[in-house]
Amino acid sequence: GSIDTAAAYIFDTLKLNKYVQLDGSVRWEYYQVDSSTLPGSASATATTPTLLESSGDLLSWKGGVVFKPRPKGSLYAAVANSLQPPGTTFTLSSATNNLNNPIFEPVENRNYEVGTKWEFFQGKLSTSLALYRSENLNNLVQDTTTLEYVQTQENIVEGVELGLSGKLTESWFVFGGMGYADS
């Protein structure tokens, strides 16, 4: 298999004042996936490969706002999406129950996050807390009436992450974290 891509990406941060900044980005990408496989056969003479191709345009984006009430602390909110087209594993499939079938649309992931980050003791201790929600769209599901596979399934994961890191001595840096996810 082979994947060819071309992309353009723009990211900018706009500082409204010493307390608030806005972040934003847009990415456009063209992709083309070509895949060829030999059919499974007990015979070693199977030489006619199956050729499949998938191509298209992807547009992803990200936006966020950061509020810094103190020089060593911030609160933020962000939203973003990402896209995964068929064949990103270098293999396409003609099976109707496989997301790598070129007839299917890219899987879209949307992520929402709010959080905070703070530093203490002249930057020797860093803390973070984030709440998030990830929505995975266009997942493959079998229609119970027609028994055909369609892209309508939505999976949602919500969770929280805590982080702590610090420099205990000049030679000893420690970090730890905990996360909880509900899907």
Side-chain angles (χ1 to χ4, degrees):
S2 68
I3 300 175
D4 294 317
T5 64
Y9 181 77
I10 297 171
F11 177 86
D12 200 10
T13 298
L14 176 63
K15 291 186 179 182
L16 300 179
N17 54 45
K18 71 178 188 175
Y19 300 108
V20 179
Q21 73 181 36
L22 302 175
D23 297 320
S25 68
V26 176
R27 176 187 166 96
W28 165 84
E29 179 178 359
Y30 172 79
Y31 71 94
Q32 180 171 334
V33 179
D34 295 304
S35 175
S36 65
T37 58
L38 290 174
S41 170
S43 167
T45 61
T47 59
T48 306
T50 300
L51 303 174
L52 296 171
E53 184 264 337
S54 176
S55 62
D57 294 298
L58 304 174
L59 185 65
S60 56
W61 45 265
K62 178 180 179 181
V65 60
V66 179
F67 174 61
K68 293 184 68 70
R70 307 285 300 163
K72 300 290 183 178
S74 63
L75 304 162
Y76 67 90
V79 61
N81 83 329
S82 63
L83 299 161
Q84 181 179 344
T88 55
T89 59
F90 293 97
T91 303
L92 291 170
S93 173
S94 59
T96 59
N97 63 344
N98 190 316
L99 272 177
N100 285 318
N101 189 319
I103 65 169
F104 293 119
E105 293 294 317
V107 174
E108 181 178 6
N109 301 300
R110 291 188 192 150
N111 298 298
Y112 307 88
E113 183 173 329
V114 294
T116 185
K117 295 180 181 181
W118 291 87
E119 288 185 5
F120 302 98
F121 309 114
Q122 291 81 39
K124 291 182 181 179
L125 175 65
S126 295
T127 62
S128 64
L129 169 67
L131 303 170
Y132 65 88
R133 176 183 173 101
S134 294
E135 300 173 350
N136 303 306
L137 312 171
N138 288 343
N139 292 310
L140 201 59
V141 66
Q142 188 176 26
D143 186 301
T144 56
T145 306
T146 66
L147 301 180
E148 293 181 7
Y149 285 86
V150 294
Q151 283 185 291
T152 60
Q153 184 68 38
E154 177 181 288
N155 297 333
I156 296 175
V157 178
E158 296 176 322
V160 61
E161 291 182 356
L162 301 163
L164 187 67
S165 63
K167 192 170 187 180
L168 298 178
T169 70
E170 282 300 313
S171 303
W172 193 12
F173 182 83
V174 296
F175 61 92
M178 183 183 92
Y180 173 78
D182 182 28
S183 61

